[in-house]
Coordinates of all heavy atoms in Angstrom, one line a residue:
R29 N -6.4 -5.5 -7.8 CA -6.2 -5.9 -6.4 C -7.5 -6.0 -5.7 O -8.3 -5.1 -5.7 CB -5.2 -4.9 -5.7 CG -4.8 -5.4 -4.3 CD -3.9 -4.5 -3.7 NE -4.5 -3.2 -3.3 CZ -3.7 -2.2 -2.9 NH1 -2.4 -2.3 -2.9 NH2 -4.3 -1.0 -2.6
I30 N -7.7 -7.2 -5.0 CA -8.9 -7.4 -4.3 C -8.6 -7.4 -2.8 O -7.7 -8.1 -2.4 CB -9.6 -8.7 -4.7 CG1 -9.9 -8.7 -6.2 CG2 -10.8 -9.0 -3.9 CD1 -10.8 -7.6 -6.6
E31 N -9.3 -6.7 -2.0 CA -9.1 -6.6 -0.6 C -10.3 -7.3 0.1 O -11.5 -7.0 -0.2 CB -9.0 -5.2 -0.1 CG -7.7 -4.5 -0.6 CD -7.6 -3.1 -0.1 OE1 -8.6 -2.6 0.4 OE2 -6.5 -2.5 -0.2
Q32 N -10.0 -8.2 1.0 CA -11.0 -9.0 1.7 C -11.3 -8.3 3.1 O -10.4 -8.4 4.0 CB -10.5 -10.4 1.9 CG -11.6 -11.4 2.4 CD -11.0 -12.8 2.5 OE1 -10.1 -13.0 3.3 NE2 -11.6 -13.7 1.8
Q33 N -12.4 -7.8 3.3 CA -12.8 -7.2 4.5 C -13.1 -8.2 5.5 O -13.8 -9.2 5.3 CB -14.0 -6.2 4.4 CG -14.4 -5.6 5.7 CD -15.7 -4.7 5.5 OE1 -16.0 -4.3 4.4 NE2 -16.4 -4.5 6.6
V34 N -12.5 -8.1 6.7 CA -12.7 -9.1 7.8 C -13.4 -8.5 9.0 O -13.7 -9.2 9.9 CB -11.4 -9.8 8.2 CG1 -10.8 -10.7 7.1 CG2 -10.3 -8.7 8.6
G35 N -13.5 -7.2 9.1 CA -14.2 -6.6 10.2 C -13.8 -5.1 10.3 O -13.4 -4.5 9.3
K36 N -14.0 -4.5 11.5 CA -13.7 -3.1 11.7 C -12.9 -3.0 13.0 O -13.0 -3.8 13.9 CB -15.0 -2.3 11.8 CG -15.8 -2.3 10.5 CD -17.1 -1.5 10.6 CE -17.9 -1.6 9.3 NZ -17.2 -1.0 8.2
V37 N -12.1 -1.9 13.0 CA -11.4 -1.6 14.2 C -12.3 -1.4 15.4 O -13.3 -0.6 15.3 CB -10.5 -0.3 14.0 CG1 -9.7 0.0 15.3 CG2 -9.5 -0.6 12.9
A38 N -12.1 -2.1 16.5 CA -13.0 -2.1 17.6 C -12.9 -0.8 18.4 O -11.8 -0.3 18.5 CB -12.8 -3.3 18.5
G39 N -14.0 -0.4 19.0 CA -13.9 0.8 19.8 C -14.0 0.6 21.3 O -13.9 1.5 22.1
T40 N -14.3 -0.7 21.6 CA -14.4 -1.1 23.1 C -13.0 -1.3 23.7 O -12.9 -1.5 24.9 CB -15.2 -2.3 23.2 OG1 -14.7 -3.4 22.4 CG2 -16.7 -2.0 22.8
E41 N -12.0 -1.4 22.9 CA -10.6 -1.6 23.3 C -9.8 -0.5 22.9 O -10.0 0.2 21.9 CB -10.0 -2.9 22.8 CG -10.8 -4.2 23.1 CD -10.6 -4.7 24.5 OE1 -9.7 -4.1 25.2 OE2 -11.3 -5.6 25.0
D42 N -8.7 -0.2 23.7 CA -7.8 0.9 23.4 C -7.1 0.6 22.1 O -6.6 -0.5 21.9 CB -6.8 1.2 24.5 CG -7.4 1.8 25.7 OD1 -8.5 2.3 25.6 OD2 -6.8 1.7 26.8
S43 N -7.0 1.6 21.2 CA -6.3 1.4 19.9 C -5.1 2.3 20.0 O -5.2 3.6 20.2 CB -7.2 1.8 18.8 OG -6.6 1.7 17.5
T44 N -3.9 1.8 19.8 CA -2.7 2.5 19.8 C -1.9 2.3 18.5 O -2.3 1.4 17.7 CB -1.8 2.1 21.0 OG1 -1.2 0.8 20.7 CG2 -2.6 2.0 22.3
P45 N -0.9 3.1 18.2 CA -0.2 2.9 17.0 C 0.5 1.5 17.0 O 0.9 1.1 15.9 CB 0.9 4.0 17.0 CG 0.2 5.1 17.9 CD -0.5 4.4 18.9
L46 N 0.8 0.9 18.1 CA 1.5 -0.3 18.2 C 0.6 -1.5 18.4 O 1.1 -2.7 18.2 CB 2.6 -0.3 19.3 CG 3.6 0.9 19.2 CD1 4.6 0.8 20.3 CD2 4.3 0.8 17.8
K47 N -0.6 -1.3 18.8 CA -1.5 -2.5 19.0 C -3.0 -2.0 18.8 O -3.3 -0.9 19.4 CB -1.3 -3.1 20.3 CG -2.1 -4.4 20.6 CD -1.7 -5.0 21.9 CE -0.3 -5.6 21.8 NZ 0.1 -6.4 23.0
F48 N -3.8 -2.7 18.1 CA -5.2 -2.4 18.0 C -6.0 -3.7 17.9 O -5.4 -4.8 17.8 CB -5.4 -1.5 16.8 CG -5.1 -2.1 15.4 CD1 -6.0 -2.7 14.6 CD2 -3.7 -2.0 15.0 CE1 -5.7 -3.3 13.4 CE2 -3.4 -2.5 13.7 CZ -4.3 -3.2 13.0
H49 N -7.3 -3.5 18.0 CA -8.2 -4.7 18.0 C -9.2 -4.6 16.9 O -9.6 -3.5 16.5 CB -8.9 -4.8 19.3 CG -8.0 -5.1 20.5 ND1 -7.2 -4.1 21.0 CD2 -7.7 -6.2 21.2 CE1 -6.5 -4.6 22.0 NE2 -6.8 -5.9 22.1
V50 N -9.6 -5.7 16.3 CA -10.5 -5.8 15.2 C -11.7 -6.6 15.6 O -11.6 -7.7 16.1 CB -9.8 -6.4 14.0 CG1 -10.9 -6.6 12.9 CG2 -8.7 -5.5 13.4
A51 N -12.9 -6.0 15.5 CA -14.1 -6.8 15.7 C -14.4 -7.5 14.4 O -14.6 -6.9 13.3 CB -15.3 -5.8 16.0
V52 N -14.4 -8.8 14.5 CA -14.5 -9.7 13.3 C -15.9 -9.8 12.8 O -16.9 -9.9 13.6 CB -14.0 -11.1 13.6 CG1 -14.0 -12.0 12.3 CG2 -12.5 -11.0 14.1
A53 N -16.1 -9.6 11.5 CA -17.5 -9.7 11.0 C -18.1 -11.0 11.1 O -17.4 -12.1 11.3 CB -17.4 -9.3 9.5
A54 N -19.4 -11.1 11.1 CA -20.1 -12.3 11.4 C -19.8 -13.4 10.4 O -19.8 -14.6 10.7 CB -21.6 -12.1 11.5
D55 N -19.6 -13.1 9.1 CA -19.3 -14.1 8.1 C -17.8 -14.1 7.8 O -17.4 -14.5 6.6 CB -20.1 -13.8 6.9 CG -20.0 -12.4 6.4 OD1 -19.3 -11.6 7.1 OD2 -20.6 -12.0 5.3
A56 N -17.0 -13.7 8.7 CA -15.5 -13.7 8.5 C -14.8 -14.4 9.7 O -15.5 -14.7 10.7 CB -15.0 -12.3 8.3
Y57 N -13.5 -14.5 9.6 CA -12.8 -15.0 10.7 C -11.4 -14.5 10.6 O -10.9 -14.1 9.6 CB -12.7 -16.6 10.7 CG -11.8 -17.1 9.6 CD1 -10.5 -17.5 10.0 CD2 -12.2 -17.3 8.3 CE1 -9.6 -18.0 9.0 CE2 -11.3 -17.8 7.3 CZ -10.0 -18.1 7.7 OH -9.1 -18.6 6.8
L58 N -10.7 -14.5 11.7 CA -9.3 -14.2 11.8 C -8.7 -15.2 12.7 O -9.2 -15.6 13.8 CB -9.0 -12.8 12.4 CG -9.2 -11.6 11.4 CD1 -9.0 -10.3 12.1 CD2 -8.2 -11.7 10.2

Side-chain angles (χ1 to χ4, degrees):
R29 186 175 68 190
I30 302 299
E31 294 182 345
Q32 189 181 60
Q33 178 182 338
V34 290
K36 296 180 182 297
V37 177
T40 56
E41 302 283 351
D42 290 340
S43 182
T44 73
L46 302 180
K47 185 174 292 186
F48 61 96
H49 296 77
V50 172
V52 183
D55 51 356
Y57 77 93
L58 280 176

